Amino acid sequence: MAIKGPKGTHDIIFNEINKWHIVESKLTELMQLYDYNEIRTPIFESTELFLRGVGDTTDIVDKEMYTFLDKGNRSITLRPEGTASVARAFIEHSGFNEVLPSKFYYIGPMFRYSRPQTGRYRQFHQFGIEVIGSINPYLDGEILELMMNIFISLGIKNLKLEINSVGCPSCRPLHKEKLKNYLKKNYSDLCPTCQGRYEKNPLRIFDCKNLQCQEIINNGPLITDNLCEECDDHFKKVKYYLEMTNVEYLINKKMVRGLDYYTKTAFEITAGKEGAQSSLGGGGRYDGLIEELGGPNLPGIGFAIGLERVVLTMEEQGLFDKLDNKHDKVYVANVSENNINTTIKLVQELRKNGVVAINDIMSRKLKNQFKYANKINADYVIIIGDDEIVNHIYPLKNMNTGEQIYCSLDELIKILRGV
Ligand code: HAM
């Protein structure tokens, strides 16, 4: 029996990859505009990094990590997200001695052992950014504007940006106590997971899908209503930035996000869908993470976007046709084997000059070469016969209009490059 890919993974194969390239090139183009540097960290890290970085009350650490012992008996984990790795690399390479803030972006696979379904995979891809070294709320605003700009530039419609403030170590403990006091009387009605959350991280009860838990928590105190002065002021300035830059947002006081490192601003973006797999991306501030991982007391903020969900949403919204900015393709056909040298040299010359050129590599008859050119959606076909070898004047057929013109190599290059 043929071997299949592991459950929860997927291949990006055939024409599918073109969609990914469209998305990825837009992302790298925007990263240049906002002056971010790419960072590439290992796919696997010490398990301890995620235990300390992501936090042991999160679903990720609790049940979703791909963890194993390597041959040297070290506990290794396939990265479930990028923030902890970027923070680790920043500390390890003394990023605090470089110009601050440090601005990074990454694109790559992440691994979470969860139940696969549409939009949720065990190996998926994230694009993310992290900025380390600035506490300024206008940075939060800029990052939110950037995140929205990414989706808008890709043409995605029905965007909904939800923001919240989840407080800081000076206001959160007080709020936690208030919440626990409120929940105490209903403790026995909470689901077993939320009973576990009650002690360690009661705010996460807002994420529970259980209707009874939702009913209980819905009327509970909200962190946004219990912020300290500093967090309150910070949140006001973030909102001011968004208003100034015309970024539409909603405040969702119940959004806590499923990672332990967040402080102050937290956010999520969806596009016209509700439910568990609707989040296209999310992020927030993590002012304590660098110190938690053994670095200096430096703040950080960032977000990550799920690329499978972006591609899926763009397919659903019919966006790939409009974004297709591919170069024209020319197929160089040869009448017989005798013309093959000219065909090969012409194709080589065209490629050297930046033209996408293809020729026959299957020893097909002319009729079948034409069929092939149609199948690969060639925009133009040039047929090389005996005359063309002698004259160096080539018949260029436009496959969309059927029109044929004769031109020299220089003219060919100009037309095919669209200059
Ligand atoms: P996250 O919310 O866990 O945040 O993931 C960000 C995005 O990754 C999600 O909104 C979703 O689009 C995508 N995603 C997550 N899990 C899966 C999955 N199993 N299959 C497909 N897509 C998925 C983080 O990872 C944080 N590190 C974001 C961040 C960066 N916060 C600060 N800096």
Side-chain angles (χ1 to χ4, degrees):
M1 211 167 55
I3 298 170
K4 288 188 171 167
K7 188 172 172 186
T9 66
H10 64 104
D11 301 303
I12 306 169
I13 187 171
F14 307 127
N15 287 338
E16 187 70 12
I17 195 69
N18 296 333
K19 299 175 185 168
W20 285 72
H21 286 166
I22 288 168
V23 173
E24 286 164 5
S25 66
K26 183 51 84 191
L27 290 170
T28 44
E29 186 189 312
L30 283 169
M31 283 300 94
Q32 280 184 1
L33 289 182
Y34 286 77
D35 198 28
Y36 281 66
N37 274 325
E38 189 182 354
I39 179 169
R40 296 188 188 179
T41 61
I43 300 288
F44 62 88
E45 299 269 3
S46 301
T47 302
E48 197 196 342
L49 173 67
F50 302 113
L51 295 183
R52 267 166 65 186
V54 176
D56 59 1
T57 67
T58 61
D59 286 349
I60 294 178
V61 168
D62 200 29
K63 48 188 184 207
E64 295 178 352
M65 294 212 299
Y66 275 91
T67 298
F68 56 95
L69 288 181
D70 72 3
K71 289 189 168 51
N73 240 7
R74 301 170 198 91
S75 183
I76 295 293
T77 294
L78 301 185
R79 60 180 191 192
E81 59 106 51
T83 314
S85 302
V86 172
R88 197 259 318 131
F90 174 86
I91 299 165
E92 191 169 333
H93 300 282
S94 311
F96 36 86
N97 290 332
E98 308 286 324
V99 182
L100 291 178
S102 277
K103 294 159 73 183
F104 303 105
Y105 81 90
Y106 49 88
I107 302 185
M110 306 290 162
F111 305 84
R112 295 185 193 176
Y113 191 87
S114 48
R115 204 164 52 81
Q117 47 188 279
T118 311
R120 189 163 75 194
Y121 307 91
R122 292 184 174 170
Q123 175 170 341
F124 59 100
H125 297 78
Q126 277 186 349
F127 162 83
I129 65 133
E130 311 293 348
V131 181
I132 300 171
S134 170
I135 190 73
N136 194 320
Y138 293 150
L139 171 63
D140 308 29
E142 183 179 290
I143 277 173
L144 285 162
E145 189 270 338
L146 160 61
M147 193 174 179
M148 284 303 268
N149 195 5
I150 288 173
F151 294 116
I152 291 167
S153 303
L154 289 168
I156 296 178
K157 294 180 286 282
N158 305 328
L159 292 166
K160 187 163 95 179
L161 167 64
E162 292 178 274
I163 63 168
N164 194 18
S165 175
V166 295
C168 72
S170 69
C171 51
R172 203 154 39 193
L174 289 174
H175 171 72
K176 234 178 182 176
E177 279 317 304
K178 271 194 190 171
L179 190 58
K180 276 169 75 179
N181 266 339
Y182 164 81
L183 289 168
K184 209 186 274 169
K185 55 182 184 301
N186 295 309
Y187 180 82
S188 55
D189 295 329
L190 293 172
C191 73
T193 314
C194 287
Q195 287 184 351
R197 285 168 171 163
Y198 176 83
E199 263 318 315
K200 280 184 166 174
N201 193 354
L203 265 81
R204 284 289 322 281
I205 299 176
F206 280 109
D207 281 347
C208 189
K209 304 281 171 295
N210 182 309
L211 288 180
Q212 193 158 319
C213 293
Q214 277 183 14
E215 220 168 87
I216 295 169
I217 196 86
N218 256 342
N219 297 317
L222 296 162
I223 176 77
T224 327
D225 297 332
N226 289 295
L227 297 176
C228 61
E229 213 180 308
E230 188 192 310
C231 286
D232 192 45
D233 185 52
H234 190 98
F235 198 40
K236 279 192 184 120
K237 288 185 172 137
V238 176
K239 290 183 277 185
Y240 172 71
Y241 189 102
L242 296 179
E243 275 142 34
M244 195 169 58
T245 49
N246 296 322
V247 174
E248 283 181 32
Y249 68 92
L250 293 166
I251 296 173
N252 179 351
K253 293 187 176 188
K254 290 179 182 155
M255 184 179 63
V256 289
R257 307 248 320 122
L259 296 113
D260 278 359
Y261 46 61
Y262 289 122
T263 50
K264 294 192 169 80
T265 318
F267 49 91
E268 233 163 67
I269 292 197
T270 52
K273 271 198 243 170
E274 301 293 324
Q277 270 65 254
S278 62
S279 167
L280 290 181
R285 253 194 187 278
Y286 45 87
D287 292 344
L289 180 65
I290 303 288
E291 197 172 23
E292 175 66 35
L293 294 176
N297 179 10
L298 279 176
I301 180 167
F303 63 75
I305 292 173
L307 294 182
E308 279 77 5
R309 294 187 190 175
V310 167
V311 170
L312 212 66
T313 306
M314 289 178 68
E315 277 169 357
E316 284 166 5
Q317 298 191 357
L319 297 173
F320 284 111
D321 317 341
K322 280 180 231 153
L323 277 171
D324 199 352
N325 57 353
K326 70 177 176 59
H327 300 288
D328 277 346
K329 241 191 240 184
V330 62
Y331 183 86
V332 185
N334 47 282
V335 174
S336 78
E337 280 284 319
N338 301 339
N339 319 117
I340 198 85
N341 290 4
T342 310
T343 311
I344 290 170
K345 282 189 191 147
L346 180 61
V347 165
Q348 185 187 25
E349 204 54 44
L350 289 171
R351 287 175 184 156
K352 264 193 212 160
N353 285 282
V355 174
V356 185
I358 307 114
N359 60 319
D360 175 47
I361 37 171
M362 294 281 278
S363 307
R364 288 186 167 112
K365 295 215 163 65
L366 185 60
K367 193 173 122 204
N368 292 334
Q369 290 182 51
F370 255 92
K371 273 194 192 159
Y372 176 75
N374 264 321
K375 276 194 191 149
I376 62 165
N377 292 326
D379 301 284
Y380 293 93
V381 170
I382 299 169
I383 304 173
I384 304 293
D386 296 339
D387 290 351
E388 285 69 36
I389 299 176
V390 180
N391 302 337
H392 302 292
I393 294 293
Y394 305 97
L396 179 69
K397 185 175 169 110
N398 182 321
M399 297 295 276
N400 293 321
T401 61
E403 185 196 358
Q404 181 161 293
I405 53 169
Y406 289 83
C407 35
S408 67
L409 178 63
D410 283 350
E411 286 164 340
L412 266 187
I413 292 167
K414 274 195 190 142
I415 295 170
L416 293 171
R417 292 198 55 193
V419 287

